[in-house]
Amino acid sequence: MSKLGNIGARLHRGEISYDFIGHRKLWYGISILITITAIVGLAVRGLNMGIDFQGGAVFTTGKHMSVSVSQAQETAEEAAGHEALVQKLGDGSLRIQIAGMDTKQSDSVKETLAEDFKVNPESIAADLVGPSWGEQIANKAWQGLAIFMVLVVIYLAIAFEWRMAIAALIALIHDITITVGIYALVGFEVTPGTVIGLLTILGYSLYDTVVVFDSLKEQTKDLTKQSRFTYSDVANRSINSTLVRSINTTVVALLPVAGLLFIGGGFLGAGTLNDISLSLFVGLAAGAYSSIFIATPLVADLKELEPQMKALRKRVLAKRAQADAEEENAAARGYDRQGDADGYDGDDDPDDAAAAVVGPRSRSASRSRGRGRPSGKRR
């Protein structure tokens, strides 16, 4: 842990860094590949919409049922004539969801379930959900998402600049697309809890992005007045300086969500937690990724298109080329001086050169006479 802390401190001070901006084409390619996979999964498999969105009936049995989930599902599907979703709750009761049912069909299925489960029909609660209510929920969710996006773009354009607002918007769309695509691929049910999770991750996604943007804004003040760094250089330094902070906040946020998803939903079988925990888990991870590998590199690409930044890049590259040439000349002069000191200038015979390097250099008698005298003069 101390080594990780030391690395984080060195990243923050700029002593070490990783070239995120220089490898941005790789990150873009990975993101495009993941996004295409998510879109294909969404188009082929589609979303498993919950009963709240497509309407139907929900049956809840009494506590401590001895009937297994598979047996209850088989009974419910035979009674309803189509697919049913059965979940075992923490108190031992069963929650059975059957889509596309009216009141008459619901009463018939309820009696069949009570007969097969050998319980009183009154102990099974039946709730009907109309499809119009689910449609209202979906419309409100889309409206809330659209309003959120507009407000985010306006705020970032005012607080930072429009290029950062565009980059943040693209990163948000990237995160939502990946999350929805994974829901389609794994087949988890989409419920109002899923919508809440999707809207929640937008804030987490923006948090890391705004942290990097704030550092970038601070470090690019009066950037065009110098000739040492380009905008991409400063953007890369901003990512590195906030990298450990972004990782720490993401890991801390992911740990409890992972507990809900893998332990609560997977190990303990509390399936009602899956709808919101999966959206939070995938969204948090995608948001941390996009803030580092998508949003900031996009800002750098957009800024480098400005005439001022193009001129700055030209000056910086010219200065670096001049510095490299001077360094090469200095190294060449140093090599020549070393060659003269060894008695070899590169044009002599190789055997003579080897003798000059290996053997001791002979001194003339006249130069040796003054050795050992204070003045070193000959008498």
Side-chain angles (χ1 to χ4, degrees), residues 241-256:
S241 64
T242 58
L243 180 62
V244 175
R245 178 180 178 181
S246 298
I247 293 175
N248 288 338
T249 54
T250 302
V251 170
V252 169
L254 279 176
L255 286 176

Side-chain angles (χ1 to χ4, degrees), residues 56-57 59 100-110 126 128-129:
F59 302 95
M101 298 188 67
D102 54 24
T103 304
K104 185 176 180 180
Q105 292 174 320
S106 172
D107 293 337
S108 176
V109 171
K110 179 179 177 179
L128 288 176
V129 179

Side-chain angles (χ1 to χ4, degrees), residues 292-310:
I292 297 172
F293 299 99
I294 303 298
T296 309
L298 278 176
V299 172
D301 284 338
L302 293 174
K303 288 291 292 185
E304 292 286 1
L305 296 176
E306 292 184 355
Q308 291 182 342
M309 296 304 165
K310 286 183 178 180

Side-chain angles (χ1 to χ4, degrees), residues 212-252:
V212 181
F213 283 179
D214 185 64
S215 174
L216 182 57
K217 178 183 177 182
E218 188 68 24
Q219 295 189 45
T220 52
K221 290 181 179 179
D222 301 326
L223 182 65
T224 56
K225 296 181 180 179
Q226 51 82 48
S227 300
R228 294 181 58 193
F229 304 108
T230 65
Y231 191 93
S232 295
D233 295 332
V234 180
N236 192 71
R237 189 166 60 187
S238 298
I239 296 176
N240 281 275
S241 64
T242 58
L243 180 62
V244 175
R245 178 180 178 181
S246 298
I247 293 175
N248 288 338
T249 54
T250 302
V251 170
V252 169

